[in-house]
Amino acid sequence: MHFASDNAGPVHPKVLEALAAANEGHVGSYGADPVTAEAVARIREIFEAPEASVHFVATGTAANVLSLASYAQPYHTVFCSDVAHIHEDECNAPEFYTGGAKLTLVPTEDGRMTASALRETIAAEESRGVHGPQRGPVSITQITERGTLYSRGDLTALCEVAKDFGLPVHMDGARFANALVDLDCTPAEMTWKAGVDVVSFGGTKNGLMGAEAVVFFDPAKAWEFELRRKRGGHLFSKHRYLAAQMNAYLEEDLWLELARAANGARELLQAGLSGMNDVSFAYEPSGNMMFPTFTAGDHRRLFEAGAVYHIWGGTLDGAADEARLTARLVCDWSTGPEAVDHFLDTLRG
């Protein structure tokens, strides 16, 4: 019953096999190898973007902050939701890698920015001339940190607001595949066709050992990103081991298969929880994540039975059994129906 994070899940066996295969012999370093060339070609193909600039890094934080740094000057501000990962979980890395650009938070109710709130927030900036931060990139997290999903219409509307102000758009796609299979659309439709300029195409949360792709739909940013990646200490010398993971991920649509498995486990868990009268949901579930609310007594029973997950926005310590607390439950590709059934049976008592 491991529902704490998709980061805690195992690496898919096909990825390990690809790493072993890439380990044969000697090839060029720093990305000058056939494995990397193959991975770049595959990403361009799935995004329908033959001119895209594709780069690999090992962490989602590196993917996000190096992308933003390529568009944000030190005197800029980055517009993002008030619960964005770049705000809550990256230890001021965006500010560090941009050389001091700040974050301006767009208020949300469920982790999703609305076009009207984004427009109002952008319009309020740059009102003090040289004395205030200048408008910089817009960053959209898909799926959000509250497990909610932007529709294609939502994405287009947000990008249109950004373009009205002449601002580039970054997408934090740590759970890109989970969002894509829920929307039942193409990678192009969820990114550049909606107006996104650069995407952090995540793989680590969806079965990879540690590999993320940064995809610029404007190849003019390629050289700057190369320099920033090297200067920031994120250019791997044995680059083939990042690319090999991505090749395995994309081969025969494994990435979509794994996302469907994770999302399917969430749907199964959600269906079981929805049938319980005392369970409610803090946010509309989507992808592979949800935030159900039930009593502290139920939480204690689950933890005693071996369930692993996080209490969100509160603490179990000292809480009365009837107090209601919210859980953050995240499924990964390896979450099987046995784990879901065990969780639900324990909760039913």
Side-chain angles (χ1 to χ4, degrees):
M1 294 190 290
H2 289 271
F3 299 100
S5 174
D6 38 14
N7 285 320
V11 177
H12 193 275
K14 289 184 178 180
V15 176
L16 295 175
E17 292 170 7
L19 284 166
N23 199 40
E24 296 294 328
H26 295 72
V27 299
S29 54
Y30 299 106
D33 63 87
V35 183
T36 297
E38 181 182 356
V40 168
R42 282 181 165 173
I43 288 179
R44 286 172 173 165
E45 181 181 359
I46 69 164
F47 278 96
E48 305 170 50
E51 302 301 319
S53 173
V54 181
H55 313 265
F56 300 116
V57 293
T59 71
T61 294
N64 284 336
V65 300
L66 291 171
S67 300
L68 289 169
S70 298
Y71 282 106
Q73 296 295 327
Y75 45 80
H76 280 154
T77 187
V78 177
F79 298 94
C80 63
S81 88
D82 52 9
V83 295
H85 196 274
I86 59 172
H87 168 55
E88 291 193 332
D89 296 292
E90 291 183 349
C91 195
N92 293 5
E95 292 90 335
F96 177 80
Y97 277 88
T98 59
K102 64 175 289 186
L103 303 180
T104 294
L105 307 182
V106 181
T108 66
E109 293 184 359
D110 62 359
R112 288 179 289 197
M113 298 183 292
T114 64
S116 59
L118 178 61
R119 184 179 296 279
E120 183 178 346
T121 303
I122 294 175
E125 279 295 359
E126 216 175 86
S127 59
R128 301 188 303 283
V130 73
H131 303 290
Q134 305 301 294
R135 296 167 179 152
V138 172
S139 182
I140 303 170
T141 307
Q142 175 78 319
I143 295 171
T144 77
E145 293 300 302
R146 297 298 179 262
T148 48
L149 182 69
Y150 289 104
S151 70
R152 288 173 57 192
D154 293 335
L155 294 173
T156 299
L158 291 171
C159 291
E160 286 176 350
V161 170
K163 302 310 178 187
D164 284 347
F165 289 93
L167 305 180
V169 178
H170 161 258
M171 176 177 284
D172 177 351
R175 295 185 175 94
F176 187 94
N178 303 99
L180 193 77
V181 298
D182 259 18
L183 287 182
D184 191 24
C185 67
T186 68
E189 288 170 338
M190 203 168 79
T191 54
W192 63 266
K193 288 186 177 181
V196 173
D197 296 283
V198 58
V199 60
S200 301
F201 178 56
T204 305
K205 295 181 186 296
N206 195 36
L208 299 190
M209 181 176 290
E212 315 280 313
V214 175
V215 184
F216 285 94
F217 301 107
D218 177 7
K221 286 295 178 182
W223 182 237
E224 179 178 350
F225 185 89
E226 291 282 2
L227 296 174
R228 288 185 177 277
R229 181 175 59 170
K230 176 63 176 179
R231 183 175 182 267
H234 287 285
L235 175 60
F236 272 41
S237 56
K238 294 189 176 181
H239 201 271
R240 57 175 153 164
Y241 298 106
L242 295 179
Q245 295 179 62
M246 196 59 67
N247 275 329
Y249 192 52
L250 299 176
E251 187 171 356
E252 297 181 347
D253 288 338
L254 178 64
W255 66 296
L256 298 176
E257 176 188 328
L258 300 184
R260 290 190 184 102
N263 289 14
R266 186 273 301 167
E267 291 168 358
L268 188 62
L269 186 57
Q270 179 185 349
L273 292 171
S274 298
M276 301 180 190
N277 292 331
D278 59 344
V279 175
S280 59
F281 294 92
Y283 311 103
E284 177 186 356
S286 63
N288 62 326
M289 187 189 325
M290 72 178 85
F291 292 80
T293 301
F294 41 87
T295 68
D298 289 333
H299 285 290
R300 291 190 176 99
R301 186 165 63 256
L302 284 162
F303 287 135
E304 288 169 1
V308 181
Y309 62 90
H310 297 293
I311 301 291
W312 204 254
T315 178
L316 195 56
D317 295 339
D321 275 354
E322 64 274 13
R324 295 181 64 77
L325 296 170
T326 298
R328 177 183 183 262
L329 304 179
V330 186
C331 300
D332 71 271
W333 68 269
S334 70
T335 304
E338 299 83 3
V340 172
D341 289 342
H342 190 187
F343 188 96
L344 294 173
D345 288 345
T346 303
L347 188 56
R348 293 186 187 104

